[in-house]
């Protein structure tokens, strides 16, 4: 906010020479950047004079001084041996107990066939032809769809697009196999690894949990080895993809020289809602078909061919609070039809979970300059009762890229405002929502693929993936690029059409 101008100038102005208006002539963002670099390199600035003094002192040493030092050490041979042994032991202990690095070798996102495309007009026509929705609820779905941020190129499974729809266990298995095997086939082709080389398998799908499990379906199809460590995560919502990454990271710490395959997806076929409870109809308008497969490794030899290294994972769970626990619930309506209820408290709950998550993540990733500003405002507000707003750290100083779960337009708008991000930072999330819709836990990987297709990923860049899920959960993963990704050599769902993006997404897109 601009400072009030005094009625009488403190320094009389001369008609021939006026003092510059520093508020206009100095860009405050550069002042902040200067402060950031000063604090970041403060240690080097502090140690530089000390290094100069030590170097000057060493330069005065003569050969006689060095010989005298050697003779002194000869008379203390036992001390030298003890110290050397201790140093060797400590270095060995450090290298034996330090965490194994986790590398992301490559990943693949599933792109459905052209016949699965569902425009907003087709969506509304299909909804009318089912004959189960009232006219008021058809209008309600149309309003949601027009404001959703989705485009006309999203995908739905065959069972939902059929007239009439024919959801069944057989069709749900068919959708799951199509998505899982589609992205895994592409991943194996990209990485050239054999299925038998995979030692850990994690599949997450929130709403479809058949028997045998989805992970068993993958093991059977690819004939994976008999001692594979496999997990099937269900009911964990849209943030389950990052939970799978965190689980894989922990498993890779205890299974040396291993590959971990993570598959993230959601199943639409058996989870399409055909009732008239409005709180359950929103998910029909947002969720679409998609999935991703990710290959992780703890082999140091894989560092050179891997794209990213996993730096941090932070998990936040608010399930102990009843309001958080019930804000996303799968349940029956009054007519016995099953759907996912989205509570009106969802945005408030998500904001609270995000606040807790970034409070934990901040000290791990933010530069000291931002941490000092946050701490200073916190002390002033809490200790000295100063009427100041809490300082919101600038996460753009910690990350070059942001992959925010494309759950819906309202979620993205709120995070853009609260994290003070630019349109460029939000572009991967908004374009993913527009092009593929809400693909649940796999949306983060479509967003990362978008940044790669645009040629934005440079060596050393840091990426923050953040997702929300039922329960209620907020999870984060931080990746560091190990090499510059050349889009000309990439194969992902965006490559054939990346030149068409970004597109302008109107706040209301009439059908």
């Amino acid at each position: 906010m601009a400072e009030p101008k005094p009625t009488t100038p403190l320094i009389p102005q001369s008609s021939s020479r006026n003092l510059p208006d520093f508020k206009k002539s100095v860009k405050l963002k550069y002042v902040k950047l200067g402060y950031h670099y000063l604090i970041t390199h403060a240690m080097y600035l502090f140690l530089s004079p000390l290094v100069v003094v030590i170097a000057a002192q060493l330069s005065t040493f003569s050969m006689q001084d060095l010989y005298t030092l050697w003779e002194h050490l000869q008379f203390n041979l036992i001390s030298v041996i003890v110290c050397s042994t201790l140093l060797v032991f400590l270095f060995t202990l450090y290298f034996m107990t330090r965490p194994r690095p986790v590398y992301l070798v490559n990943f693949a996102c599933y792109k459905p066939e052209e016949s699965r495309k569902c425009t907003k007009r087709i969506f509304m026509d299909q909804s009318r032809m089912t004959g189960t929705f009232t006219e008021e609820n058809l209008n309600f779905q149309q309003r949601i769809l027009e404001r959703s941020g989705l485009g006309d190129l999203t995908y739905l499974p065959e069972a939902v697009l059929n007239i009439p729809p024919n959801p069944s266990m057989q069709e749900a298995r068919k959708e799951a196999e199509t998505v899982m095997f589609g992205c895994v086939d592409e991943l194996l082709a990209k990485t050239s690894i054999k299925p038998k080389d995979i030692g850990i398998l994690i599949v997450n799908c929130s709403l479809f949990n058949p028997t045998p499990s989805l992970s068993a379906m993958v093991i059977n199809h690819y004939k994976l080895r008999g001692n594979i460590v496999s997990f099937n995560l269900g009911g964990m919502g849209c943030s389950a993809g990052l939970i799978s990454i965190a689980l894989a990271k922990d498993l890779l710490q205890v299974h040396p020289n291993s590959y971990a395959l993570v598959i993230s997806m959601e199943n639409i076929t058996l989870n399409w809602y055909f009732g008239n409870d409005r709180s359950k109809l929103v998910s029909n308008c947002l969720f679409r078909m998609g999935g991703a497969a990710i290959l992780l490794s703890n082999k140091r030899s894989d560092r050179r061919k891997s794209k990213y290294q996993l730096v941090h994972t932070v998990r936040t769970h608010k399930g102990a609070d009843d309001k958080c626990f019930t804000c996303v619930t799968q349940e029956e309506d009054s007519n016995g039809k099953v759907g996912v209820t989205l509570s009106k408290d969802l945005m408030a709950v998500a904001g609270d979970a995000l606040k807790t998550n970034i409070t934990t993540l901040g000290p791990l990733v933010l530069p000291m300059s931002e941490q000092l500003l946050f701490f200073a405002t916190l002390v002033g507000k809490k200790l000295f009762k100063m009427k100041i707003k809490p300082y919101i750290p600038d996460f753009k100083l910690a990350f070059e890229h942001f992959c925010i779960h494309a759950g819906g337009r309202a979620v993205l708008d709120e995070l853009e405002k609260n994290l003070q991000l630019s349109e460029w930072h939000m572009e991967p999330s908004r374009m993913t929502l527009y092009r593929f819709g809400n693909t649940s836990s796999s949306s983060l990987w479509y967003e990362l693929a978008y940044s790669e297709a645009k040629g934005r990923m440079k060596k050393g860049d840091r990426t923050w993936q953040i997702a929300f899920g039922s329960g209620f959960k907020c999870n984060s993963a931080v990746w560091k690029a190990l090499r510059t990704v050349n889009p000309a050599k990439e194969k992902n769902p965006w490559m054939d059409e990346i030149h068409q993006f970004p597109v302008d997404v109107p706040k209301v897109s009439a059908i």
Side-chain angles (χ1 to χ4, degrees):
M1 187 172 67
E3 297 177 0
K5 295 182 179 180
T7 54
T8 305
L10 299 177
I11 302 177
Q13 295 184 356
S14 168
S15 59
S16 59
R17 186 175 182 180
N18 295 331
L19 289 174
D21 186 344
F22 288 100
K23 285 235 173 186
K24 294 181 180 179
S25 62
V26 178
K27 292 186 177 180
L28 293 180
K29 70 173 183 178
Y30 294 119
V31 175
K32 185 175 181 180
L33 282 175
Y35 161 75
H36 162 63
Y37 288 125
L38 176 65
I39 298 298
T40 302
H41 300 96
M43 184 60 71
Y44 299 106
L45 296 174
F46 174 76
L47 291 177
S48 296
L50 185 61
V51 172
V52 171
V53 171
I54 293 174
Q57 185 65 32
L58 290 175
S59 65
T60 62
F61 274 44
S62 63
M63 291 300 296
Q64 182 62 38
D65 294 328
L66 294 175
Y67 181 73
T68 304
L69 180 62
W70 172 249
E71 282 190 330
H72 179 72
L73 290 175
Q74 283 183 319
F75 288 110
N76 293 274
L77 187 60
I78 296 177
S79 300
V80 173
I81 293 174
V82 171
C83 290
S84 301
T85 304
L86 181 62
L87 286 174
V88 171
F89 172 76
L90 291 176
F91 274 112
T92 304
L93 185 66
Y94 168 73
F95 283 106
M96 292 290 288
T97 58
R98 67 175 178 168
R100 301 177 191 272
V102 175
Y103 305 116
L104 193 160
V105 182
N106 215 323
F107 67 97
C109 299
Y110 177 68
K111 188 174 184 179
E113 301 171 352
E114 290 294 308
S115 59
R116 303 279 80 79
K117 278 188 178 177
C118 178
T119 66
K120 287 177 282 190
R121 172 54 59 191
I122 290 176
F123 179 94
M124 290 308 304
D125 290 343
Q126 291 286 111
S127 297
R128 283 192 173 87
M129 283 187 285
T130 61
T132 61
F133 303 113
T134 65
E135 191 63 33
E136 291 80 5
N137 280 333
L138 285 170
N139 293 333
F140 172 75
Q141 290 184 78
Q142 179 168 328
R143 291 196 301 272
I144 293 294
L145 205 59
E146 290 174 341
R147 293 161 175 79
S148 65
L150 273 69
D152 282 329
L153 300 173
T154 59
Y155 304 93
L156 283 174
E158 183 180 357
V160 176
L161 289 177
N162 284 339
I163 303 174
N166 60 326
S168 64
M169 177 61 76
Q170 181 181 356
E171 288 296 324
R173 283 182 176 274
K174 181 179 176 181
E175 180 195 350
E177 291 174 352
T178 302
V179 174
M180 289 193 302
F181 302 160
C183 55
V184 173
D185 286 345
E186 184 179 328
L187 180 63
L188 294 177
K190 280 183 175 182
T191 58
S192 299
I193 73 158
K194 300 175 182 178
K196 294 288 186 183
D197 294 334
I198 298 170
I200 299 168
L201 172 65
I202 303 171
V203 181
N204 68 265
C205 182
S206 187
L207 297 176
F208 182 55
N209 296 285
T211 300
S213 66
L214 296 173
S215 59
M217 291 164 62
V218 175
I219 292 170
N220 176 261
H221 181 80
Y222 292 99
K223 309 305 177 187
L224 302 184
R225 63 199 203 196
N227 65 343
I228 191 167
V229 180
S230 67
F231 294 86
N232 196 95
L233 306 183
M236 303 195 80
C238 300
S239 66
L242 295 187
I243 294 174
S244 298
I245 294 295
L247 175 58
K249 179 190 74 172
D250 293 340
L251 291 170
L252 287 170
Q253 298 305 310
V254 295
H255 294 276
N257 299 316
S258 296
Y259 284 113
L261 173 62
V262 174
I263 303 174
S264 293
M265 60 166 290
E266 193 50 80
N267 192 283
I268 305 295
T269 299
L270 283 182
N271 296 289
W272 199 256
Y273 177 63
F274 292 99
N276 282 284
D277 185 340
R278 290 193 176 186
S279 64
K280 296 177 177 61
L281 284 172
V282 176
S283 59
N284 280 12
C285 301
L286 298 178
F287 282 91
R288 295 294 184 267
M289 189 178 181
I294 305 96
L295 183 67
L296 303 175
S297 171
N298 60 8
K299 301 180 181 181
R300 296 187 185 275
S301 58
D302 283 333
R303 179 183 175 90
R304 295 185 64 182
K305 68 178 183 180
S306 297
K307 283 185 174 181
Y308 307 96
Q309 181 172 350
L310 182 60
V311 183
H312 299 292
T313 55
V314 175
R315 294 174 58 181
T316 300
H317 205 303
K318 292 285 187 177
D321 183 281
D322 290 341
K323 186 171 71 171
C324 299
F325 177 72
T326 57
C327 69
V328 181
T329 310
Q330 186 182 28
E331 59 187 3
E332 296 174 330
D333 63 12
S334 57
N335 295 317
K337 294 180 179 179
V338 177
V340 176
T341 301
L342 302 181
S343 166
K344 293 180 179 179
D345 298 323
L346 180 58
M347 292 302 298
V349 167
D352 183 52
L354 173 66
K355 180 181 176 182
T356 304
N357 190 269
I358 65 176
T359 301
T360 306
L361 180 68
L364 300 175
V365 298
L366 286 170
M368 187 57 67
S369 57
E370 289 298 291
Q371 294 189 49
L372 286 175
L373 287 173
F374 177 77
F375 180 73
T377 54
L378 185 65
V379 170
K381 186 177 180 65
K382 299 293 184 181
L383 192 60
F384 298 104
K385 306 300 181 183
M386 298 172 64
K387 294 182 179 180
I388 54 176
K389 292 182 179 180
Y391 179 72
I392 300 175
D394 187 357
F395 279 91
K396 296 188 293 294
L397 295 173
F399 306 108
E400 284 75 32
H401 308 282
F402 296 80
C403 294
I404 300 168
H405 169 54
R409 185 173 202 152
V411 175
L412 297 181
D413 289 346
E414 200 64 27
L415 265 77
E416 178 181 5
K417 182 177 69 174
N418 288 337
L419 295 177
Q420 300 176 354
L421 301 179
S422 66
E423 291 183 4
W424 187 88
H425 291 114
M426 297 298 299
E427 188 179 309
S429 300
R430 293 195 185 280
M431 294 304 102
T432 295
L433 181 64
Y434 176 84
R435 177 62 181 84
F436 294 98
N438 181 349
T439 59
S440 190
S441 56
S442 66
S443 69
L444 300 173
W445 303 102
Y446 287 91
E447 294 164 18
L448 188 58
Y450 180 91
S451 295
E452 291 184 353
K454 278 291 184 182
R456 297 179 178 181
M457 200 59 63
K458 309 299 181 185
K459 182 178 180 180
D461 281 3
R462 298 152 299 177
T463 301
W464 180 17
Q465 290 182 320
I466 184 166
F468 305 90
S470 57
F472 190 85
K473 299 177 288 292
C474 178
N475 301 315
S476 292
V478 178
W479 303 90
K480 182 178 180 180
L482 297 176
R483 57 183 171 90
T484 298
V485 179
N486 183 359
K489 298 179 179 180
E490 285 301 305
K491 182 182 179 182
N492 71 46
W494 297 96
M495 294 311 303
D496 296 338
E497 52 193 275
I498 192 63
H499 60 280
Q500 301 173 14
F501 294 92
V503 299
D504 179 57
V505 183
K507 291 189 178 297
V508 179
S509 179
I511 300 175

